[in-house]
């Protein structure tokens, strides 16, 4: 019984994954159980469509980075490209930002600023 209550206590203090993506990406993660509303009834996901402005994506990203209940932000790489200047300026370790592919746009590691930053931390000799 003590193990169950410890697991419940740990889950209550858990952190969320946030998603900024197209409808298919968000639907997939929501079906996987990622969707939540915080106490202020703010969701941890944003569905980006053709009517979404770049400033709305930036505002959502900045909101997610300031929320204490979010540990990871997943963003479709095609939308990350639209706010690249914001992603490049973001240097905090948490929430971690991961660029992911979408159904229509494959992942390109050369565009991923977080991966480029990580590569810069190590020399090529360290991988031999």
């Amino acid at each position: 019984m003590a193990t169950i209550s410890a697991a419940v206590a740990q889950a209550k203090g858990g952190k969320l994954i946030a998603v900024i993506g197209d409808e298919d990406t968000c639907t997939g993660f929501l079906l996987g159980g990622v969707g939540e509303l915080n106490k202020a009834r703010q969701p941890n996901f944003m569905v980006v469509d053709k009517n979404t402005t770049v400033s709305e994506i930036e505002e959502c990203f900045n909101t997610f980075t300031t929320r204490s209940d979010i540990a990871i932000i997943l963003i479709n790489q095609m939308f990350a490209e639209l706010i690249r200047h914001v992603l490049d300026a973001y240097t905090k370790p948490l929430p971690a930002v991961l660029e992911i592919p979408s159904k229509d746009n494959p992942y390109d590691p050369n565009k991923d600023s977080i991966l480029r930053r990580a590569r810069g931390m190590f020399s090529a000799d360290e991988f031999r």
Side-chain angles (χ1 to χ4, degrees), residues 13-124:
K15 301 282 185 173
L16 300 175
I17 296 174
V19 180
I20 300 173
D22 59 13
E23 185 175 12
D24 291 333
T25 300
C26 289
T27 300
F29 280 102
L30 291 173
L31 288 171
V34 169
E36 294 282 338
L37 294 175
N38 65 8
K39 292 177 183 176
R41 309 278 304 153
Q42 298 169 321
N44 63 327
F45 60 92
M46 177 187 190
V47 178
V48 180
D49 61 20
K50 63 182 180 189
N51 298 321
T52 307
T53 64
V54 173
S55 61
E56 289 174 318
I57 299 170
E58 284 181 22
E59 182 182 337
C60 180
F61 177 81
N62 290 329
T63 299
F64 286 164
T65 60
T66 59
R67 282 180 50 178
S68 62
D69 61 336
I70 293 178
I72 299 171
I73 300 172
L74 302 176
I75 182 169
N76 282 138
Q77 192 171 51
M78 61 186 179
F79 303 128
E81 280 297 306
L82 298 175
I83 61 166
R84 180 63 59 202
H85 60 284
V86 176
L87 291 175
D88 288 345
Y90 181 75
T91 58
K92 295 179 184 174
L94 286 176
V97 179
L98 300 172
E99 294 181 25
I100 60 174
S102 66
K103 184 172 79 171
D104 299 325
N105 298 41
Y107 175 76
D108 182 356
N110 296 321
K111 293 181 180 178
D112 191 331
S113 61
I114 307 299
L115 183 60
R116 282 196 314 261
R117 211 177 304 161
R119 284 182 183 156
M121 295 172 62
F122 302 100
S123 68

